[in-house]
Coordinates of all heavy atoms in Angstrom, one line a residue:
P24 N -2.0 15.1 10.6 CA -3.0 14.1 11.1 C -3.4 13.1 10.0 O -3.5 11.9 10.3 CB -4.2 15.0 11.5 CG -3.7 16.3 11.8 CD -2.5 16.5 10.8
Q25 N -3.6 13.6 8.8 CA -4.0 12.7 7.7 C -2.8 11.7 7.4 O -3.0 10.5 7.2 CB -4.3 13.5 6.4 CG -4.6 12.6 5.2 CD -4.6 13.4 3.9 OE1 -4.5 14.6 3.9 NE2 -4.7 12.7 2.8
V26 N -1.6 12.2 7.3 CA -0.5 11.3 7.0 C -0.3 10.3 8.1 O 0.0 9.1 7.8 CB 0.8 12.2 6.9 CG1 2.1 11.3 6.8 CG2 0.7 13.1 5.6
L27 N -0.4 10.7 9.4 CA -0.3 9.7 10.5 C -1.4 8.7 10.5 O -1.1 7.5 10.7 CB -0.2 10.5 11.8 CG 1.1 11.3 12.1 CD1 1.0 12.1 13.4 CD2 2.3 10.4 12.0
R28 N -2.6 9.1 10.1 CA -3.7 8.1 10.0 C -3.4 7.1 8.9 O -3.6 5.9 9.1 CB -5.0 8.8 9.7 CG -5.8 9.1 11.0 CD -7.3 9.6 10.6 NE -7.4 10.5 9.5 CZ -7.2 11.8 9.6 NH1 -6.9 12.4 10.8 NH2 -7.3 12.6 8.6
E29 N -3.0 7.6 7.7 CA -2.6 6.7 6.6 C -1.5 5.7 7.0 O -1.6 4.6 6.7 CB -2.2 7.5 5.4 CG -3.3 8.2 4.7 CD -2.9 9.0 3.5 OE1 -1.6 9.2 3.4 OE2 -3.7 9.4 2.7
F30 N -0.5 6.2 7.7 CA 0.6 5.4 8.1 C 0.2 4.4 9.1 O 0.5 3.2 9.0 CB 1.7 6.3 8.7 CG 3.0 5.6 9.0 CD1 3.6 4.8 8.0 CD2 3.6 5.7 10.2 CE1 4.8 4.1 8.2 CE2 4.8 5.0 10.4 CZ 5.4 4.2 9.4
A31 N -0.7 4.7 10.1 CA -1.2 3.8 11.1 C -2.0 2.7 10.4 O -2.0 1.5 10.7 CB -2.0 4.5 12.1
D32 N -2.9 3.1 9.4 CA -3.7 2.2 8.7 C -2.8 1.2 7.9 O -3.1 0.0 7.8 CB -4.6 2.9 7.7 CG -5.7 3.6 8.4 OD1 -5.9 3.4 9.6 OD2 -6.4 4.5 7.7
L33 N -1.7 1.7 7.3 CA -0.8 0.8 6.6 C -0.1 -0.2 7.5 O 0.0 -1.4 7.2 CB 0.3 1.7 5.8 CG 1.3 0.9 5.1 CD1 0.7 0.1 3.9 CD2 2.4 1.8 4.5
L34 N 0.3 0.3 8.7 CA 1.0 -0.5 9.6 C 0.0 -1.6 10.2 O 0.5 -2.7 10.6 CB 1.6 0.3 10.8 CG 2.7 1.2 10.4 CD1 3.2 2.0 11.6 CD2 3.9 0.4 9.9
A35 N -1.3 -1.3 10.2 CA -2.2 -2.3 10.7 C -2.5 -3.5 9.7 O -3.0 -4.5 10.1 CB -3.6 -1.6 11.0
L36 N -2.1 -3.3 8.5 CA -2.3 -4.4 7.5 C -1.2 -5.5 7.7 O -0.1 -5.2 8.0 CB -2.1 -3.9 6.1 CG -3.1 -2.9 5.5 CD1 -2.7 -2.4 4.2 CD2 -4.5 -3.5 5.5
P37 N -1.7 -6.8 7.7 CA -0.7 -7.9 7.8 C 0.3 -7.7 6.7 O 0.0 -7.4 5.5 CB -1.6 -9.1 7.6 CG -2.9 -8.7 8.0 CD -3.1 -7.3 7.6
N38 N 1.6 -7.9 7.0 CA 2.6 -7.5 6.0 C 3.7 -8.6 6.0 O 4.8 -8.5 6.5 CB 3.3 -6.2 6.5 CG 4.2 -5.6 5.4 OD1 4.9 -6.3 4.8 ND2 4.0 -4.3 5.2
V39 N 3.3 -9.7 5.3 CA 4.3 -10.8 5.1 C 4.3 -11.1 3.6 O 3.2 -11.3 3.0 CB 3.8 -12.1 5.9 CG1 4.8 -13.2 5.6 CG2 3.8 -11.7 7.4
A40 N 5.4 -11.1 3.0 CA 5.5 -11.3 1.5 C 4.8 -12.5 1.0 O 4.3 -12.5 -0.1 CB 7.0 -11.3 1.1
S41 N 4.8 -13.6 1.8 CA 4.2 -14.8 1.4 C 2.7 -14.8 1.5 O 2.0 -15.7 1.0 CB 4.7 -16.0 2.1 OG 4.5 -15.9 3.5
D42 N 2.1 -13.8 2.1 CA 0.6 -13.6 2.2 C 0.2 -12.8 1.0 O 0.1 -11.6 1.1 CB 0.3 -12.9 3.5 CG -1.2 -12.7 3.8 OD1 -2.0 -12.9 2.8 OD2 -1.5 -12.3 4.9
S43 N -0.1 -13.5 -0.1 CA -0.3 -12.8 -1.4 C -1.5 -11.8 -1.3 O -1.4 -10.8 -1.9 CB -0.5 -13.8 -2.5 OG -1.7 -14.6 -2.3
V44 N -2.5 -12.1 -0.6 CA -3.7 -11.2 -0.5 C -3.3 -9.9 0.2 O -3.6 -8.8 -0.3 CB -4.9 -11.9 0.1 CG1 -6.0 -10.9 0.4 CG2 -5.4 -13.1 -0.7
N45 N -2.8 -10.1 1.4 CA -2.5 -8.9 2.2 C -1.3 -8.1 1.7 O -1.2 -6.9 1.8 CB -2.3 -9.3 3.7 CG -3.7 -9.5 4.3 OD1 -4.6 -8.7 4.1 ND2 -3.8 -10.6 5.0
I46 N -0.3 -8.7 1.0 CA 0.8 -8.0 0.5 C 0.3 -7.1 -0.6 O 0.8 -6.0 -0.8 CB 2.0 -8.9 0.1 CG1 3.3 -8.1 0.1 CG2 1.8 -9.5 -1.2 CD1 3.7 -7.6 1.5
R47 N -0.7 -7.6 -1.4 CA -1.3 -6.7 -2.4 C -2.1 -5.6 -1.8 O -2.1 -4.5 -2.4 CB -2.1 -7.6 -3.4 CG -1.1 -8.3 -4.4 CD -1.8 -9.4 -5.2 NE -0.8 -9.9 -6.1 CZ 0.2 -10.7 -5.8 NH1 0.4 -11.0 -4.5 NH2 1.0 -11.1 -6.7
R48 N -2.7 -5.8 -0.7 CA -3.4 -4.7 0.0 C -2.4 -3.7 0.4 O -2.7 -2.5 0.4 CB -4.2 -5.3 1.2 CG -5.4 -6.1 0.9 CD -6.1 -6.6 2.1 NE -6.6 -5.6 3.0 CZ -6.7 -5.7 4.3 NH1 -6.5 -6.9 4.9 NH2 -7.1 -4.7 5.0
N49 N -1.3 -4.1 0.9 CA -0.2 -3.2 1.3 C 0.2 -2.3 0.1 O 0.3 -1.1 0.1 CB 1.0 -3.9 1.8 CG 0.9 -4.2 3.3 OD1 1.4 -3.5 4.1 ND2 0.3 -5.3 3.6
A50 N 0.5 -3.0 -1.0 CA 0.9 -2.3 -2.3 C -0.2 -1.4 -2.7 O 0.2 -0.2 -3.1 CB 1.2 -3.4 -3.4
D51 N -1.4 -1.8 -2.7 CA -2.5 -0.9 -3.1 C -2.6 0.3 -2.2 O -2.9 1.4 -2.7 CB -3.8 -1.6 -3.2 CG -3.9 -2.7 -4.3 OD1 -3.1 -2.5 -5.2 OD2 -4.7 -3.6 -4.2
A52 N -2.4 0.1 -0.9 CA -2.5 1.3 0.1 C -1.4 2.3 -0.2 O -1.6 3.5 -0.2 CB -2.4 0.8 1.5
I53 N -0.2 1.8 -0.6 CA 0.9 2.7 -0.9 C 0.7 3.4 -2.2 O 0.9 4.6 -2.3 CB 2.3 1.9 -1.0 CG1 2.6 1.3 0.4 CG2 3.4 2.7 -1.5 CD1 3.7 0.2 0.4
V54 N 0.2 2.7 -3.2 CA -0.2 3.3 -4.5 C -1.2 4.4 -4.2 O -1.0 5.6 -4.7 CB -0.7 2.3 -5.5 CG1 -1.4 2.9 -6.7 CG2 0.4 1.4 -5.9
A55 N -2.2 4.2 -3.5 CA -3.3 5.1 -3.2 C -2.8 6.4 -2.5 O -3.1 7.5 -2.8 CB -4.4 4.5 -2.5
A56 N -1.9 6.1 -1.5 CA -1.4 7.3 -0.7 C -0.6 8.2 -1.6 O -0.7 9.4 -1.5 CB -0.6 6.8 0.5
F57 N 0.3 7.7 -2.4 CA 1.1 8.5 -3.2 C 0.3 9.1 -4.4 O 0.5 10.3 -4.7 CB 2.3 7.7 -3.8 CG 3.4 7.6 -2.9 CD1 3.5 6.6 -2.0 CD2 4.5 8.6 -2.9 CE1 4.6 6.5 -1.1 CE2 5.5 8.5 -2.0 CZ 5.6 7.4 -1.1
A58 N -0.7 8.4 -4.9 CA -1.5 9.0 -6.0 C -2.3 10.1 -5.5 O -2.5 11.1 -6.2 CB -2.5 7.9 -6.5
R59 N -2.8 10.1 -4.2 CA -3.5 11.2 -3.6 C -2.6 12.5 -3.6 O -3.1 13.6 -3.5 CB -4.0 10.9 -2.2 CG -5.2 10.1 -2.2 CD -5.8 10.0 -0.8 NE -5.0 9.2 0.1 CZ -5.1 7.9 0.2 NH1 -5.9 7.2 -0.5 NH2 -4.3 7.3 1.1
R60 N -1.3 12.3 -3.6 CA -0.4 13.4 -3.6 C 0.1 13.8 -5.0 O 1.1 14.5 -5.1 CB 0.8 13.1 -2.6 CG 0.2 13.1 -1.2 CD 1.1 12.3 -0.3 NE 0.6 12.4 1.1 CZ -0.3 11.6 1.6 NH1 -0.9 10.7 0.8 NH2 -0.7 11.8 2.8
G61 N -0.5 13.3 -6.0 CA -0.2 13.7 -7.4 C 0.9 12.9 -8.0 O 1.4 13.3 -9.1
I62 N 1.3 11.8 -7.5 CA 2.3 10.9 -8.1 C 1.7 9.9 -8.9 O 0.7 9.2 -8.5 CB 3.2 10.2 -7.0 CG1 3.7 11.2 -5.9 CG2 4.3 9.4 -7.6 CD1 4.7 12.3 -6.4
A63 N 2.1 9.7 -10.1 CA 1.6 8.7 -11.0 C 2.1 7.3 -10.5 O 3.3 7.1 -10.5 CB 2.1 8.9 -12.5
M64 N 1.2 6.5 -10.0 CA 1.6 5.2 -9.4 C 1.0 4.0 -10.1 O 0.0 4.1 -10.7 CB 1.1 5.3 -7.9 CG 1.7 6.4 -7.1 SD 3.4 6.2 -6.7 CE 3.5 4.7 -5.8
R65 N 1.7 2.9 -9.9 CA 1.1 1.6 -10.3 C 1.7 0.5 -9.6 O 2.8 0.6 -9.1 CB 1.2 1.4 -11.8 CG 2.6 1.5 -12.3 CD 2.5 1.5 -13.9 NE 3.9 1.9 -14.3 CZ 4.4 1.4 -15.4 NH1 3.7 0.7 -16.2 NH2 5.6 1.8 -15.8
R66 N 1.0 -0.6 -9.5 CA 1.4 -1.8 -8.9 C 1.9 -2.7 -10.1 O 1.2 -2.9 -11.0 CB 0.3 -2.5 -8.2 CG 0.7 -3.7 -7.4 CD -0.5 -4.2 -6.6 NE -1.2 -5.2 -7.5 CZ -2.4 -5.8 -7.1 NH1 -2.9 -5.5 -6.0 NH2 -3.0 -6.6 -7.9
L67 N 3.1 -3.2 -10.0 CA 3.7 -4.1 -11.0 C 3.7 -5.5 -10.5 O 4.3 -5.8 -9.5 CB 5.1 -3.6 -11.3 CG 5.3 -2.1 -11.7 CD1 6.8 -1.8 -11.9 CD2 4.6 -1.9 -13.0
E68 N 3.0 -6.4 -11.3 CA 2.9 -7.8 -10.9 C 4.1 -8.6 -11.5 O 4.5 -8.3 -12.6 CB 1.6 -8.3 -11.4 CG 0.4 -7.8 -10.6 CD 0.3 -8.2 -9.2 OE1 1.0 -9.2 -8.8 OE2 -0.4 -7.6 -8.4
S69 N 4.6 -9.5 -10.7 CA 5.6 -10.4 -11.2 C 5.0 -11.6 -12.0 O 4.0 -12.1 -11.6 CB 6.3 -11.0 -10.0 OG 7.1 -12.1 -10.3
P70 N 5.6 -11.9 -13.1 CA 5.0 -13.1 -13.9 C 5.1 -14.4 -13.1 O 4.4 -15.3 -13.4 CB 5.9 -13.1 -15.2 CG 7.1 -12.3 -14.9 CD 6.7 -11.3 -13.8
T71 N 6.0 -14.4 -12.1 CA 6.1 -15.7 -11.3 C 5.1 -15.7 -10.1 O 5.1 -16.7 -9.4 CB 7.5 -15.8 -10.8 OG1 7.8 -14.7 -9.9 CG2 8.5 -15.9 -11.9

């Protein structure tokens, strides 16, 4: 149930690479989901 809720929440986020605010929300949601499962995670920003 928790995994499906997290997945549905992720799918509900706008997900277009050119939408810099929401694409970072997507990245942060992925980082948080894996971190909750004990994976050392981070978001890597592009210098461009």
Side-chain angles (χ1 to χ4, degrees):
Q25 174 192 355
V26 171
L27 289 176
R28 266 192 317 277
E29 286 178 348
F30 189 50
D32 290 346
L33 179 64
L34 293 176
L36 294 174
N38 192 317
V39 177
S41 61
D42 180 351
S43 63
V44 171
N45 282 312
I46 203 65
R47 280 168 177 73
R48 287 179 61 206
N49 276 263
D51 290 341
I53 293 166
V54 166
F57 278 88
R59 279 190 291 276
R60 289 159 178 85
I62 309 295
M64 298 293 296
R65 58 188 168 149
R66 189 176 86 184
L67 304 175
E68 292 291 341
S69 166
T71 61

